[in-house]
Amino acid sequence: MLSVIICSSNAKDLSLVKKNIEGTIGVPHEILGFDNSAAQKGICEIYNEGTRQAKYDMLCFMHEDIEMLTDNWGKKVLDIFANNEKLGLLGIAGGGYKSLAPASWYNYHLQENGGFYCNLVQGYKHTGKPDMKDCRNPGDELLSRVACVDGCWFCTSRKVALKYSFDQKLLRKFHGYDLDFGISISGEFEAAVTFEILLKHFSEGNFNKVWMDEILKVHQKWAAVLPINVAKIPESHLKRIERHALEVFLQQSLNDDYYSKWELLKLIWSTRHSRIASFSFPYKLMVRLVKMKKGDPIT
């Protein structure tokens, strides 16, 4: 049995996804749709409220702009968790390495990135591009362990979600919750991407300044835990690739006029807590930042 929790901003989309869930889930379930059309609450607060109200032991958190394409997907979720006792988080997209450098669940600036895992049909509401079936399964597996998952759709147990609640004090908007939750459970549980469930996500997301502000909060909070290296990139490589990714991020932030050098210095200082950071790690980054100018090329 499954409790499906949705933070809704559009009543029509919520109605459509409810019908879709009811026709495809294949197991006894409940749908907890929370009207947040006025954006009066952040998604973390909504998800915590849904967790408390849920009457079933397995939870599915999903966006409302989704169409489930696999029949009996609820049974597949329950079977996957039943057969993997260390599993704490299941998604349909994720990355094998969660960087110390600020990024989503996949960091394109890493010279060794840990792998991209996904199984979905991607829509492009913002750009109008045609839908694309995106299946990336580098291990040719039904279930691939990852460091973190995308927040458009993920499942966990109610027990895990109560123990590692969504950080509604830190994250008051609609971003970063997936990374924060995945990192929070990583010391005790594993995360994975399933290739047995297919869905369509109608939106490609909007990675703007508001999104980045929330991502920075997550990275500063978890600097002592990051990076998470499920992909087993050689530990001897991590200092080098993270320094490069951070330099790219710093220059891009200046070019986009997102953050002042003072704000970026605070981010750099937080990296000293990471296991990969030698004594000189943040200081070399600070020196590099001081020399940067807005408009310099990104290398």
Side-chain angles (χ1 to χ4, degrees), residues 21-22 36 76 133 155 161 164 200 220 232 237 248 251 290:
I21 292 167
E22 289 163 357
N36 200 39
K76 293 182 186 294
K133 170 70 182 298
C155 299
Y164 298 98
K200 177 179 177 181
Q220 289 174 316
K232 298 182 179 178
H237 295 190
V248 170
Q251 185 64 63
V290 169

Side-chain angles (χ1 to χ4, degrees), residues 5-299:
I5 298 167
I6 302 172
C7 177
S8 173
S9 62
N10 185 296
K12 182 179 179 181
D13 286 349
L14 180 61
S15 177
L16 289 172
V17 77
K18 280 183 174 181
K19 291 178 182 177
N20 170 251
I21 292 167
E22 289 163 357
T24 58
I25 192 168
V27 295
H29 65 281
E30 64 173 347
I31 301 173
L32 301 173
F34 293 87
D35 179 8
N36 200 39
S37 53
Q40 65 270 31
K41 296 180 179 179
I43 196 168
C44 286
E45 185 176 355
I46 295 288
Y47 278 2
N48 284 332
E49 189 173 338
T51 298
R52 291 189 295 269
Q53 291 187 23
K55 64 182 181 181
Y56 296 133
D57 292 333
M58 190 59 60
L59 310 180
C60 178
F61 298 93
M62 62 187 288
H63 293 183
E64 61 187 346
D65 61 338
I66 279 176
E67 179 184 2
M68 303 303 300
L69 301 175
T70 298
D71 287 333
N72 298 313
W73 60 268
K75 184 177 187 306
K76 293 182 186 294
V77 168
L78 298 176
D79 288 345
I80 289 168
F81 276 92
N83 293 325
N84 298 272
E85 85 175 36
K86 289 200 70 177
L87 184 64
L89 180 60
L90 181 71
I92 49 81
Y97 180 88
K98 181 65 212 90
S99 61
L100 175 64
S104 67
W105 51 266
Y106 185 80
N107 189 338
Y108 290 95
H109 300 308
L110 281 175
Q111 295 163 324
E112 298 174 63
N113 53 44
F116 191 119
Y117 301 80
C118 68
N119 188 45
L120 76 159
V121 176
Q122 181 63 63
Y124 293 92
K125 180 175 71 174
H126 300 296
T127 62
K129 290 169 29 177
D131 295 349
M132 180 185 71
K133 170 70 182 298
D134 197 357
C135 182
R136 308 189 200 192
N137 188 353
D140 194 24
E141 302 167 305
L142 291 178
L143 186 72
S144 294
R145 190 180 170 199
V146 294
C148 49
V149 303
D150 184 271
C152 71
W153 182 97
F154 62 88
C155 299
T156 188
S157 70
R158 187 170 183 269
K159 180 179 178 181
V160 169
L162 287 172
K163 183 175 182 179
Y164 298 98
S165 59
F166 297 91
D167 193 344
Q168 66 186 64
K169 292 183 179 179
L170 180 71
L171 303 171
R172 299 176 179 272
K173 298 180 181 178
F174 304 95
H175 308 291
Y177 61 94
D178 46 0
L179 289 184
D180 182 68
F181 184 73
I183 298 168
S184 71
I185 72 161
S186 63
E188 185 176 359
F189 296 99
E190 295 177 354
V193 164
T194 176
F195 293 91
E196 296 186 84
I197 297 171
L198 182 67
L199 58 81
K200 177 179 177 181
H201 188 204
F202 289 91
S203 171
E204 68 273 37
N206 187 4
F207 304 103
N208 55 18
K209 173 69 161 50
V210 175
W211 175 83
M212 184 54 72
D213 288 345
E214 301 300 284
I215 295 300
L216 285 190
K217 292 177 185 178
V218 173
H219 280 78
Q220 289 174 316
K221 172 183 175 181
W222 294 109
V225 174
L226 296 171
I228 300 174
N229 188 17
V230 172
K232 298 182 179 178
I233 296 172
E235 288 283 316
S236 60
H237 295 190
L238 301 187
K239 182 178 176 181
R240 170 181 56 81
I241 67 173
E242 288 286 0
R243 181 185 290 120
H244 176 263
L246 280 159
E247 288 178 355
V248 170
F249 172 78
L250 296 172
Q251 185 64 63
Q252 187 69 63
S253 296
L254 291 177
N255 290 355
D256 291 341
D257 206 21
Y258 273 8
Y259 303 108
S260 67
K261 285 190 175 182
W262 174 247
E263 290 171 311
L264 293 173
L265 284 169
K266 289 190 286 185
L267 167 67
I268 292 171
W269 186 238
S270 73
T271 66
R272 75 192 188 280
H273 298 297
S274 172
R275 72 180 186 280
I276 69 163
S278 62
F279 180 78
S280 64
F281 187 85
Y283 294 104
K284 288 183 177 179
L285 283 169
M286 288 177 181
V287 170
R288 181 76 179 89
L289 174 64
V290 169
K291 295 179 178 179
M292 288 179 179
K293 297 178 181 177
K294 181 179 177 180
D296 284 349
I298 297 171
T299 57

